[in-house]
Amino acid sequence: MTPRVKEILSWYEADNAGTLTNLARLLNHGRLAGTGKLVILPVDQGFEHGPARSFAPNPLAYNPYYHFELAIEAGCNAYAAPLGFLEAGARAFAGEIPLILKANNADSLRDDKDPDQALTASVEDALRLGCCAIGFTIYPGSAHEFDMYEKFRVCAQEAKRHGLAVVLWSYPRGSALSKEGETAVDVIGYAVQIAAQLGAHIIKVKLPTAHLEQAAARKIYEERHIPIATQAERVRHVVDCAFAGRRIVIFSGGAAVMDNEKLLDEFRAIHDGGGFGSIIGRNSFQRSKAEALQLLGKVMDIYAGKTVR
Amino acid sequence: MTPRVKEILSWYEADNAGTLTNLARLLNHGRLAGTGKLVILPVDQGFEHGPARSFAPNPLAYNPYYHFELAIEAGCNAYAAPLGFLEAGARAFAGEIPLILKANNADSLRDDKDPDQALTASVEDALRLGCCAIGFTIYPGSAHEFDMYEKFRVCAQEAKRHGLAVVLWSYPRGSALSKEGETAVDVIGYAVQIAAQLGAHIIKVKLPTAHLEQAAARKIYEERHIPIATQAERVRHVVDCAFAGRRIVIFSGGAAVMDNEKLLDEFRAIHDGGGFGSIIGRNSFQRSKAEALQLLGKVMDIYAGKTVR
Amino acid sequence: MTPRVKEILSWYEADNAGTLTNLARLLNHGRLAGTGKLVILPVDQGFEHGPARSFAPNPLAYNPYYHFELAIEAGCNAYAAPLGFLEAGARAFAGEIPLILKANNADSLRDDKDPDQALTASVEDALRLGCCAIGFTIYPGSAHEFDMYEKFRVCAQEAKRHGLAVVLWSYPRGSALSKEGETAVDVIGYAVQIAAQLGAHIIKVKLPTAHLEQAAARKIYEERHIPIATQAERVRHVVDCAFAGRRIVIFSGGAAVMDNEKLLDEFRAIHDGGGFGSIIGRNSFQRSKAEALQLLGKVMDIYAGKTVR
Amino acid sequence: MTPRVKEILSWYEADNAGTLTNLARLLNHGRLAGTGKLVILPVDQGFEHGPARSFAPNPLAYNPYYHFELAIEAGCNAYAAPLGFLEAGARAFAGEIPLILKANNADSLRDDKDPDQALTASVEDALRLGCCAIGFTIYPGSAHEFDMYEKFRVCAQEAKRHGLAVVLWSYPRGSALSKEGETAVDVIGYAVQIAAQLGAHIIKVKLPTAHLEQAAARKIYEERHIPIATQAERVRHVVDCAFAGRRIVIFSGGAAVMDNEKLLDEFRAIHDGGGFGSIIGRNSFQRSKAEALQLLGKVMDIYAGKTVR
Amino acid sequence: MTPRVKEILSWYEADNAGTLTNLARLLNHGRLAGTGKLVILPVDQGFEHGPARSFAPNPLAYNPYYHFELAIEAGCNAYAAPLGFLEAGARAFAGEIPLILKANNADSLRDDKDPDQALTASVEDALRLGCCAIGFTIYPGSAHEFDMYEKFRVCAQEAKRHGLAVVLWSYPRGSALSKEGETAVDVIGYAVQIAAQLGAHIIKVKLPTAHLEQAAARKIYEERHIPIATQAERVRHVVDCAFAGRRIVIFSGGAAVMDNEKLLDEFRAIHDGGGFGSIIGRNSFQRSKAEALQLLGKVMDIYAGKTVR
């Protein structure tokens, strides 16, 4: 147990030994074990965007085993997926990588300006599959946001009682926000705060832009000269919004189409800004495994503090 | 236990021995026992379309015993029906054929552009009636889709806990889809993926057409040249969408009015494309029993790999 | 136990001994005991239409004891009423007549083109009041139909578990149907099928007219020449829709204003068509007791097969 | 135990000894003990209309102790109030007066043409506060009426199981009724019937006017010449609607502004018509205590059958 | 235990010893211990308004430890916050200050003319975190008010059963009220009454203005000459509305921008009017700690009855 991991665990002072054990498992697995940094492989795109859009670029990815193998070979901290994908490999790969069960999901067949999520798995499922954590998505800004907060509350309370960790995807979205506002730095900061106040252990958000969405917030950003010009500054601000950095905040892995160097710059900015790591889906499994391992290796080098320019 | 059935069971690695036993019962019953292929008789049309439309073409079919007998004589793998039909024969035919209790149903008296289903039976009912599995319908694309996913989750979790198998009818439908889109190959592939991610053991869909419904999906089908020109290719793609073929996908039995030779071509395409079989309702019980047995016999020959041209 | 009652009980092969005992109590009580026919007195009109409209024509009927006495003196098979009416006499008349607790109810104060019912009593109430069965109403065709099916499912499952019988009033109604369609023979046949598939033991519908409501159904009635010209033919068809007559179907007792001879013709048609009896409310308690006993006597004679022209 | 109280208790033949004991406590307390008549002090106006409108006319009434004292000194049968008011005095006045916990409430801050009530207390609260009964309000005619009936069912069943009595305020109101219709004699009669069928022990309604609201009802009132010209006749009819007088019906105490003699005439009419008493709120606590005691004394004299003209 | 605290506790006569103990803890902690007055630090603004708007004025406040320390150093009676903030410090500061877990919350990302709150924590959470009380918000006047009352009822009943105290934020708001009406003295008085009737132990409202919102209420205020001209008079009236002062009413701490002297006048008015104290958020943590301690010290001096002009 490294001092850094001990320090991080010390922030979760209200949690029982079971939950701390599972948080430690996430932090002490893979190439970044002990650094306090995390790179997680999430594969819920089959559900969220459909199988062809997700897996046709690399058809091996249709197979649920592929993602377990990719996460293990790349030395990720954990692999996160919906019920079906985890049921399809949890026994074959038992004990080889920490698992996060995505407990709610949405699809792209129905379009709704106020998006919602369906509960698709339970804490009981996570326990029988040997998971370390449950994952959950909320859409702050949606007309359905309170329903999602309340379902999360029930699910998170049960998870904590049973010694699981809780990862919360906090994605601002809905009729109350402009498209640009979904990644505005004030809104992302707010999304992180909500997730932290709801009791999440690990919070996942998108990388914020320098846009400011809410008038009342813009006023204070300008008055107080909160630095948000660079990506690293914005990451630092967002981490501040998570209880002055006392909650783990990780960032999603960028658009699938982005070129590699630009992509790596994002990870450098996260690292420089004090972010705790990344959750990288499409940029992992939509390339050949060799390319994916190379990219993930570089990302982990960045988070491990090795010079990779 | 044939090697093929053992192989299929091996994919369901997260399930308990009870569920595997019931999956094995389905796979090891009837003329296709041990082949890994399934032909199931479903009779929920009395509920879904009304009794006269369903049974007047062959009035013996008003009687619930008729369908048990038909499924048994034809050597089907299982018989699936709503609560009432199973209660009406489960004791008389106890142990003669695996049963699937259809746990939700809709009728055609109310028309809704966003269809839904009512929960009409329970896992407790399935257990007291000696069933091997519960059946459930979802309509991905309907405004009510999340409600159905959530009810399914509760029902499927309870079924698995009690050692039952779970069969999911995944029928895209609703205001978000065009009529043509309901059987578009991208949408059917998506419906299969959703069902698999929700944790279904056996997935039933309609045969897909070559239509592509969603713009974002069409792009990838064209870029990646996913072969969807022939029925067999489309079946193969849809099976791929079910965890690279690691979940059982079966197809509905075609329109009632179709001529026999054209119909058999559909089963050949399913077989050639790697589909796991069919669920044949109206084309079974709306003919005389002799004709039905002849047709089902031919279908089973196709799935058993015997030449029947 | 007559052979006919034994035969009828044999159809309910999935039910436990408790439920069969209560079905037998209904079939073996009163003047029609053992014939397999039923005449039931239902008094929920006070709730459904209001007390003055229901009881002012025969003011003795305001008193809950009156209906117990009427049902007992007439030799009915059972008396069905809401919670209040049964609580008001269940002890005084304990053991004198089988009781059916109407578990949901509606009133006429609120008008809704898509009618619904409120749950107003429970299986626990039925058990503590010594009832043989619970009664329940659904409105197939209403926008609320699925809610009613789901409440019924919960209530019926609990009733069966506790050895009660289940009587289902299946009344097509709602914005999806024309006024004429509510008693159309295709729709009544469909309503009976839904009730049977939902697991009801005894199904109550209105007498069907020769009208055909749904285009898809009309086509099959015409193609197959289903005989629906006479009332007896329509009754026979409706009974067929109840699992080829393997579920008890009874009919409501006609409009209150009808003259007696015309009314008796309806009962003759029910008898000739193979119906299992009647549930006669307003035509019983809105006359003087003497007149009611005379009418009910004639109806029972018809069902007992005695010539009463 | 007087013969009259014994007679009244005999009507509640389905209730357990606990509930009869509590009904007896209500009937055997205060100046009207043993007469079968009831005068109850209800104070939910603070919740329903606001504190200033309710208590400013007599500022001592802001204090919860005041109402306990008033009810005790006046010799009322019981005191009814929401959770807060009862919690604030139940220990100080334990055993001095039967208490009725008002389990649902509404306020006047939100206006809704289809009014509803919120559940604000529970049977468990009633038991821990030493109450004899729970009170509940329904608004027959509101679009939310079924929700209220269903909440009442759950609450009443639990109350009866635990030996409490159940008092139901049945106030027709909602978009389906005209303002005048809320107190129309047909509608009040209907409201009483619904309450009785729902299983209430004591029913509270407003005094009916001679207005007839529903066309179908008007027809029968006219045809049958139901006497509704005088207030006493209307009371008698409404009592008839409560199972021919076999359920206790009490009436609200008139508008606050009414002059005393006119007010007393109302009580005389209730007495003459066979009503079981009154529930008098604003006319009690919005006067000085001396005046209130005088008025309540006169009312009780009327119900006790003493000449007070 | 001072006589004043004993007196206050005596008002909560229906509560169990556990709840009284926790009320006593709140009243007997900090600089105002034993005076019967309360100054509470609430920090839910991160959730309600967003982190930058709340904490950027004093960036130390991003850190959850800051607020524990501020409340302890200032000698507040208690610290109130949502789940996340309490989980982040409850162990480090265990036993140093009474905690109030804010059990429901809203955010400012979604705007709704009829505001609502999401349940975000539970009584179980409050118990495991060592809290003395749960906090809850209702919005009387919102279309969702009944939902909030009902959720409160469930939560409060469970809290009382487990010996916790219950603090209710009662904030009139919603489409039924004008903006000015939200702090109108009649409406604030009403909000206090509702909270008291719902069974709250401690009620928090905003300081009322002299505006009168509801016509029916204005009439009585004018007729009865209820004194509402000065802030102290309005406080006194509002305290009267809380069961003639037999429930603890505290007031929110004014707008953040207000100058200090004007602010102190508000506290003087609360004190003079018989208010029980204040809950001061933004005016505490949005200044430097030194300034905040100075201000809070002055406020406590006012409540302690020391001359601080």
Side-chain angles (χ1 to χ4, degrees):
Chain A
M1 187 73 64
T2 66
R4 177 61 179 161
V5 170
K6 282 208 167 182
E7 184 192 11
I8 291 173
L9 293 184
S10 76
W11 302 333
Y12 297 91
E13 54 186 67
D15 285 295
N16 62 25
T19 294
L20 290 190
T21 301
N22 276 314
L23 276 171
R25 283 179 183 132
L26 293 169
L27 289 163
N28 286 334
H29 188 87
R31 279 187 51 198
L32 292 171
T35 62
K37 301 286 180 172
L38 295 152
V39 169
I40 295 172
L41 176 69
V43 192
D44 59 357
Q45 292 80 357
F47 203 131
E48 304 276 333
H49 305 147
R53 280 173 63 195
S54 304
F55 307 132
N58 174 27
L60 293 171
Y62 282 110
N63 191 320
Y65 275 19
Y66 180 81
H67 305 285
F68 284 89
E69 290 162 357
L70 176 59
I72 292 164
E73 291 178 34
C76 287
N77 296 68
Y79 166 50
L83 181 67
F85 255 20
L86 291 197
E87 284 188 333
R91 181 178 297 265
F93 299 93
E96 297 191 45
I97 183 148
L99 298 176
I100 300 167
L101 176 60
K102 201 50 193 22
N104 65 352
N105 280 101
D107 62 51
S108 311
L109 287 172
R110 189 186 67 156
D111 201 31
D112 194 338
K113 68 187 201 319
D114 280 295
D116 199 355
Q117 288 255 327
L119 210 59
T120 55
S122 69
V123 168
E124 181 184 327
D125 290 323
L127 292 167
R128 72 176 168 88
L129 293 170
C131 299
C132 292
I134 56 149
F136 209 94
T137 296
I138 56 172
Y139 296 129
S142 167
H144 306 297
E145 61 172 22
F146 287 169
D147 287 344
M148 286 178 273
Y149 298 175
E150 296 199 342
K151 284 182 184 171
F152 173 74
R153 189 197 70 73
V154 172
C155 199
Q157 177 171 307
E158 195 188 345
K160 291 177 185 177
R161 204 189 287 132
H162 291 83
L164 294 177
V166 173
V167 185
L168 188 48
W169 277 239
S170 191
Y171 283 2
R173 204 173 288 183
S175 58
L177 297 172
S178 72
K179 190 71 201 165
E180 225 186 341
E182 294 178 1
T183 50
V185 68
D186 60 326
V187 170
I188 294 289
Y190 203 160
V192 159
Q193 170 77 200
I194 289 170
Q197 295 287 15
L198 288 171
H201 299 112
I202 298 176
I203 299 159
K204 182 203 166 188
V205 287
K206 296 197 175 168
L207 270 176
T209 68
H211 178 62
L212 290 166
E213 171 80 357
Q214 299 200 291
R218 186 180 317 114
K219 199 163 156 286
I220 196 86
Y221 278 86
E222 288 169 2
E223 266 177 36
R224 298 286 159 173
H225 307 293
I226 304 177
I228 54 169
T230 70
Q231 189 61 274
E233 284 171 340
R234 293 192 294 272
V235 165
R236 189 167 308 279
H237 173 64
V238 164
V239 169
D240 262 2
C241 290
F243 296 178
R246 297 172 70 85
R247 288 293 174 264
I248 297 169
V249 181
I250 57 180
F251 295 85
S252 52
V257 292
M258 205 176 270
D259 84 74
N260 266 14
E261 221 22 61
K262 227 167 135 189
L263 195 59
L264 289 175
D265 280 346
E266 288 194 355
F267 297 108
R268 289 179 192 113
I270 295 168
H271 183 65
D272 294 347
F276 291 74
S278 289
I279 185 157
I280 306 173
R282 279 171 290 179
N283 274 311
S284 302
F285 65 77
Q286 290 187 344
R287 335 181 152 224
S288 72
K289 200 194 272 184
E291 285 176 278
L293 292 176
Q294 195 185 33
L295 175 65
L296 289 169
K298 285 184 184 169
V299 173
M300 292 179 194
D301 283 346
I302 290 169
Y303 285 129
K306 301 181 185 159
T307 319
V308 277
R309 302 272 161 173
Chain B
M1 188 71 64
T2 65
R4 177 61 178 161
V5 170
K6 283 208 165 182
E7 184 192 11
I8 291 173
L9 293 183
S10 77
W11 302 334
Y12 297 93
E13 55 186 66
D15 285 295
N16 62 26
T19 294
L20 290 191
T21 302
N22 276 315
L23 276 172
R25 283 179 183 132
L26 293 169
L27 290 162
N28 286 333
H29 188 88
R31 279 187 50 198
L32 291 171
T35 63
K37 301 286 180 172
L38 295 152
V39 170
I40 295 172
L41 176 68
V43 192
D44 59 357
Q45 292 81 355
F47 203 130
E48 304 276 333
H49 305 147
R53 280 173 64 194
S54 303
F55 306 133
N58 174 27
L60 293 171
Y62 282 109
N63 191 320
Y65 275 20
Y66 180 80
H67 305 285
F68 284 89
E69 290 161 358
L70 175 58
I72 292 164
E73 291 177 34
C76 288
N77 296 68
Y79 166 49
L83 182 67
F85 255 20
L86 291 197
E87 285 188 333
R91 183 178 295 264
F93 299 93
E96 298 192 44
I97 182 147
L99 297 176
I100 301 167
L101 176 60
K102 204 45 195 21
N104 65 351
N105 280 101
D107 63 51
S108 311
L109 286 171
R110 190 186 63 156
D111 201 31
D112 194 337
K113 68 187 200 319
D114 280 294
D116 200 355
Q117 290 255 325
L119 210 59
T120 55
S122 69
V123 167
E124 181 183 327
D125 290 322
L127 292 166
R128 72 177 169 89
L129 294 170
C131 298
C132 291
I134 56 148
F136 209 94
T137 296
I138 55 172
Y139 296 129
S142 167
H144 307 296
E145 60 171 24
F146 287 169
D147 287 344
M148 287 178 271
Y149 298 174
E150 296 199 343
K151 285 183 183 172
F152 173 73
R153 189 197 71 72
V154 172
C155 199
Q157 177 171 307
E158 195 188 346
K160 291 176 184 177
R161 204 190 286 133
H162 290 83
L164 293 178
V166 173
V167 185
L168 188 48
W169 278 237
S170 190
Y171 284 1
R173 205 175 286 183
S175 58
L177 296 172
S178 71
K179 191 71 201 163
E180 225 185 343
E182 294 179 0
T183 49
V185 67
D186 60 326
V187 170
I188 294 289
Y190 202 160
V192 159
Q193 170 77 202
I194 289 170
Q197 294 288 14
L198 288 171
H201 299 112
I202 299 177
I203 299 160
K204 183 203 165 187
V205 286
K206 295 198 174 167
L207 270 174
T209 67
H211 177 63
L212 290 166
E213 171 80 357
Q214 298 199 291
R218 186 181 318 113
K219 198 163 155 283
I220 195 86
Y221 278 86
E222 288 168 3
E223 265 176 38
R224 299 286 159 172
H225 306 293
I226 303 177
I228 54 169
T230 70
Q231 190 60 275
E233 283 171 341
R234 293 193 294 271
V235 164
R236 188 166 308 280
H237 173 64
V238 164
V239 169
D240 262 3
C241 290
F243 296 178
R246 296 172 69 87
R247 288 292 175 265
I248 297 169
V249 181
I250 57 179
F251 295 85
S252 52
V257 291
M258 205 177 269
D259 84 74
N260 267 15
E261 221 22 61
K262 228 167 131 189
L263 195 59
L264 289 175
D265 280 345
E266 289 195 354
F267 297 109
R268 287 180 194 114
I270 295 168
H271 183 66
D272 293 348
F276 290 75
S278 289
I279 186 156
I280 306 173
R282 280 172 289 178
N283 274 310
S284 302
F285 66 76
Q286 290 188 344
R287 330 176 157 229
S288 72
K289 199 195 270 184
E291 285 176 279
L293 292 176
Q294 194 186 33
L295 175 65
L296 289 169
K298 284 184 185 171
V299 173
M300 292 179 194
D301 283 346
I302 291 169
Y303 285 129
K306 301 180 187 161
T307 320
V308 278
R309 302 273 163 171
Chain C
M1 187 71 63
T2 65
R4 177 61 178 160
V5 170
K6 283 207 164 181
E7 183 192 12
I8 291 174
L9 294 184
S10 77
W11 302 334
Y12 298 92
E13 55 187 65
D15 284 295
N16 63 26
T19 294
L20 290 190
T21 301
N22 275 316
L23 276 172
R25 282 178 184 133
L26 293 169
L27 289 163
N28 286 333
H29 188 88
R31 279 187 52 198
L32 291 171
T35 63
K37 300 286 180 173
L38 295 151
V39 170
I40 295 171
L41 176 69
V43 192
D44 58 358
Q45 291 80 357
F47 203 131
E48 304 275 334
H49 306 146
R53 281 172 65 194
S54 303
F55 306 132
N58 174 27
L60 293 172
Y62 281 110
N63 191 320
Y65 275 21
Y66 180 80
H67 305 286
F68 284 90
E69 290 162 358
L70 176 58
I72 292 164
E73 292 177 34
C76 288
N77 295 69
Y79 166 50
L83 182 67
F85 255 19
L86 291 197
E87 285 188 332
R91 182 179 295 263
F93 299 93
E96 297 191 46
I97 182 149
L99 297 177
I100 301 167
L101 176 60
K102 203 46 194 25
N104 65 351
N105 280 101
D107 64 51
S108 312
L109 287 171
R110 190 186 65 157
D111 201 31
D112 195 337
K113 67 186 202 318
D114 280 295
D116 199 355
Q117 290 255 326
L119 210 59
T120 56
S122 69
V123 167
E124 181 183 327
D125 290 323
L127 292 166
R128 72 177 169 89
L129 293 170
C131 299
C132 291
I134 55 148
F136 208 94
T137 297
I138 55 172
Y139 296 130
S142 167
H144 307 296
E145 60 171 25
F146 288 169
D147 287 343
M148 287 177 272
Y149 298 175
E150 296 199 343
K151 285 182 184 172
F152 172 74
R153 189 197 71 72
V154 172
C155 199
Q157 177 170 307
E158 196 187 345
K160 291 176 184 177
R161 206 190 284 134
H162 290 84
L164 294 177
V166 174
V167 185
L168 188 48
W169 277 238
S170 190
Y171 283 2
R173 205 173 286 183
S175 58
L177 297 172
S178 72
K179 191 70 200 165
E180 224 186 343
E182 293 179 0
T183 50
V185 67
D186 59 327
V187 170
I188 295 289
Y190 202 160
V192 159
Q193 170 77 202
I194 289 169
Q197 295 287 15
L198 288 171
H201 299 112
I202 299 176
I203 299 159
K204 183 202 165 189
V205 286
K206 296 198 174 168
L207 270 174
T209 66
H211 177 63
L212 289 166
E213 172 80 356
Q214 298 199 291
R218 187 181 317 114
K219 197 162 157 285
I220 195 88
Y221 278 86
E222 288 169 2
E223 265 176 36
R224 300 284 159 173
H225 306 293
I226 303 178
I228 54 169
T230 71
Q231 189 60 274
E233 284 171 341
R234 293 192 294 272
V235 165
R236 189 167 308 281
H237 173 65
V238 164
V239 169
D240 262 4
C241 290
F243 296 178
R246 297 171 70 87
R247 288 293 174 265
I248 297 169
V249 181
I250 58 179
F251 295 85
S252 52
V257 292
M258 207 177 269
D259 84 75
N260 267 15
E261 221 22 62
K262 227 168 132 189
L263 196 58
L264 290 174
D265 281 346
E266 289 194 354
F267 298 109
R268 288 179 193 112
I270 296 168
H271 183 65
D272 294 348
F276 291 75
S278 289
I279 186 156
I280 307 173
R282 280 172 288 178
N283 273 309
S284 302
F285 66 76
Q286 290 187 345
R287 326 172 161 235
S288 72
K289 199 194 270 183
E291 284 176 279
L293 293 176
Q294 195 186 33
L295 175 65
L296 290 169
K298 284 183 185 172
V299 172
M300 292 178 194
D301 283 347
I302 290 169
Y303 285 130
K306 299 180 188 163
T307 320
V308 277
R309 302 273 162 174
Chain D
M1 188 71 63
T2 65
R4 178 60 179 161
V5 170
K6 282 207 166 182
E7 184 192 11
I8 291 173
L9 293 184
S10 77
W11 302 333
Y12 298 92
E13 54 186 66
D15 284 295
N16 62 27
T19 294
L20 291 191
T21 301
N22 275 316
L23 276 172
R25 284 179 183 131
L26 294 169
L27 290 163
N28 286 335
H29 188 87
R31 281 187 51 200
L32 292 170
T35 63
K37 301 286 180 174
L38 296 151
V39 169
I40 295 171
L41 176 68
V43 191
D44 58 358
Q45 291 80 358
F47 204 130
E48 304 276 334
H49 305 147
R53 281 172 64 194
S54 303
F55 307 132
N58 174 27
L60 293 171
Y62 282 110
N63 191 321
Y65 275 18
Y66 180 80
H67 305 286
F68 284 89
E69 290 162 358
L70 176 58
I72 293 163
E73 291 177 35
C76 288
N77 296 68
Y79 166 50
L83 182 67
F85 255 18
L86 291 197
E87 285 188 331
R91 182 178 297 263
F93 298 93
E96 296 192 47
I97 182 148
L99 298 176
I100 300 168
L101 175 60
K102 203 45 193 28
N104 64 353
N105 280 101
D107 63 51
S108 312
L109 287 172
R110 190 186 64 157
D111 200 31
D112 194 337
K113 68 187 201 318
D114 280 294
D116 199 355
Q117 290 255 326
L119 209 59
T120 56
S122 69
V123 167
E124 181 184 327
D125 290 322
L127 292 166
R128 72 177 168 89
L129 294 170
C131 298
C132 292
I134 56 149
F136 209 95
T137 296
I138 55 172
Y139 296 130
S142 167
H144 307 296
E145 60 170 24
F146 287 169
D147 287 343
M148 287 177 272
Y149 299 175
E150 296 199 342
K151 284 182 184 171
F152 172 74
R153 189 196 70 73
V154 171
C155 200
Q157 176 171 307
E158 195 187 345
K160 291 177 185 178
R161 205 190 285 134
H162 290 85
L164 294 178
V166 174
V167 185
L168 188 48
W169 278 238
S170 189
Y171 282 3
R173 204 174 287 183
S175 59
L177 297 172
S178 72
K179 190 70 201 165
E180 224 185 343
E182 293 179 1
T183 50
V185 67
D186 59 326
V187 170
I188 294 289
Y190 202 160
V192 159
Q193 170 78 201
I194 289 170
Q197 294 287 15
L198 288 172
H201 299 113
I202 299 176
I203 299 159
K204 183 202 165 188
V205 286
K206 297 199 172 167
L207 270 174
T209 66
H211 178 62
L212 289 167
E213 171 81 356
Q214 299 199 290
R218 188 181 316 113
K219 198 162 157 286
I220 195 86
Y221 278 85
E222 288 170 1
E223 265 176 35
R224 299 285 160 173
H225 307 293
I226 303 178
I228 54 169
T230 71
Q231 190 61 275
E233 284 171 340
R234 292 193 293 272
V235 165
R236 190 167 307 278
H237 173 65
V238 164
V239 170
D240 262 4
C241 290
F243 296 179
R246 297 172 70 87
R247 288 292 174 265
I248 297 169
V249 181
I250 58 179
F251 294 86
S252 53
V257 293
M258 206 177 270
D259 84 74
N260 267 14
E261 219 24 60
K262 227 168 134 189
L263 195 59
L264 290 174
D265 281 346
E266 288 194 354
F267 298 109
R268 288 180 193 112
I270 295 168
H271 183 66
D272 294 348
F276 291 75
S278 289
I279 187 156
I280 307 173
R282 280 171 288 179
N283 273 311
S284 302
F285 66 76
Q286 291 188 345
R287 329 175 158 233
S288 72
K289 199 195 270 183
E291 284 177 278
L293 293 176
Q294 194 186 33
L295 175 65
L296 290 168
K298 285 183 185 172
V299 173
M300 292 178 194
D301 282 347
I302 290 169
Y303 286 129
K306 301 181 186 159
T307 320
V308 278
R309 301 273 161 176
Chain E
M1 187 73 63
T2 66
R4 177 61 178 160
V5 169
K6 282 206 167 181
E7 185 192 11
I8 291 174
L9 293 184
S10 77
W11 302 333
Y12 298 92
E13 53 185 67
D15 284 296
N16 62 26
T19 294
L20 291 190
T21 301
N22 276 316
L23 276 171
R25 284 180 184 132
L26 293 169
L27 289 162
N28 285 334
H29 188 88
R31 281 187 50 198
L32 291 170
T35 62
K37 300 286 181 175
L38 295 152
V39 169
I40 295 172
L41 175 68
V43 192
D44 59 357
Q45 292 79 356
F47 203 130
E48 304 276 334
H49 305 148
R53 281 173 63 193
S54 303
F55 307 132
N58 174 26
L60 293 172
Y62 281 110
N63 191 321
Y65 275 19
Y66 180 80
H67 305 285
F68 284 90
E69 290 163 357
L70 175 59
I72 292 164
E73 291 177 36
C76 287
N77 296 69
Y79 167 49
L83 181 67
F85 255 20
L86 291 197
E87 284 188 333
R91 181 179 297 264
F93 300 93
E96 297 191 46
I97 183 148
L99 298 176
I100 300 167
L101 175 61
K102 202 48 191 26
N104 64 353
N105 280 101
D107 62 52
S108 311
L109 287 172
R110 190 185 66 157
D111 200 31
D112 194 338
K113 68 186 201 318
D114 280 295
D116 200 355
Q117 289 255 327
L119 210 60
T120 55
S122 69
V123 168
E124 181 183 327
D125 290 322
L127 292 167
R128 72 176 169 90
L129 294 170
C131 299
C132 291
I134 56 150
F136 208 95
T137 296
I138 56 172
Y139 296 129
S142 166
H144 306 297
E145 61 171 22
F146 288 169
D147 287 344
M148 287 177 273
Y149 299 174
E150 296 200 342
K151 284 183 185 171
F152 173 74
R153 189 197 70 72
V154 171
C155 200
Q157 176 170 307
E158 196 188 345
K160 292 177 184 176
R161 204 190 286 133
H162 290 84
L164 294 177
V166 174
V167 185
L168 189 49
W169 278 238
S170 190
Y171 283 2
R173 202 173 290 182
S175 58
L177 296 172
S178 72
K179 190 70 201 166
E180 224 185 344
E182 294 179 1
T183 50
V185 68
D186 60 326
V187 170
I188 295 289
Y190 202 160
V192 159
Q193 170 78 199
I194 289 170
Q197 294 287 15
L198 288 172
H201 300 113
I202 300 176
I203 299 160
K204 183 203 166 188
V205 286
K206 296 198 173 166
L207 270 175
T209 67
H211 178 62
L212 290 167
E213 171 81 357
Q214 298 199 292
R218 187 180 318 112
K219 199 162 156 286
I220 196 87
Y221 278 86
E222 288 169 3
E223 266 176 35
R224 300 284 161 174
H225 307 292
I226 304 177
I228 55 169
T230 71
Q231 190 60 275
E233 285 171 338
R234 293 193 293 272
V235 165
R236 190 168 306 280
H237 173 64
V238 164
V239 170
D240 262 3
C241 290
F243 296 178
R246 297 172 69 86
R247 288 291 174 266
I248 297 169
V249 182
I250 57 179
F251 295 85
S252 52
V257 293
M258 206 176 267
D259 84 74
N260 267 13
E261 219 25 60
K262 226 166 136 190
L263 195 59
L264 289 174
D265 280 346
E266 288 194 354
F267 298 109
R268 289 181 192 111
I270 295 168
H271 183 65
D272 294 347
F276 291 75
S278 289
I279 185 156
I280 307 173
R282 279 171 290 178
N283 273 311
S284 303
F285 65 76
Q286 290 187 344
R287 330 177 156 229
S288 73
K289 200 194 270 184
E291 284 177 277
L293 292 176
Q294 195 185 33
L295 175 65
L296 289 169
K298 286 184 184 170
V299 173
M300 291 179 196
D301 282 347
I302 291 169
Y303 286 129
K306 301 180 186 162
T307 319
V308 278
R309 303 270 161 177

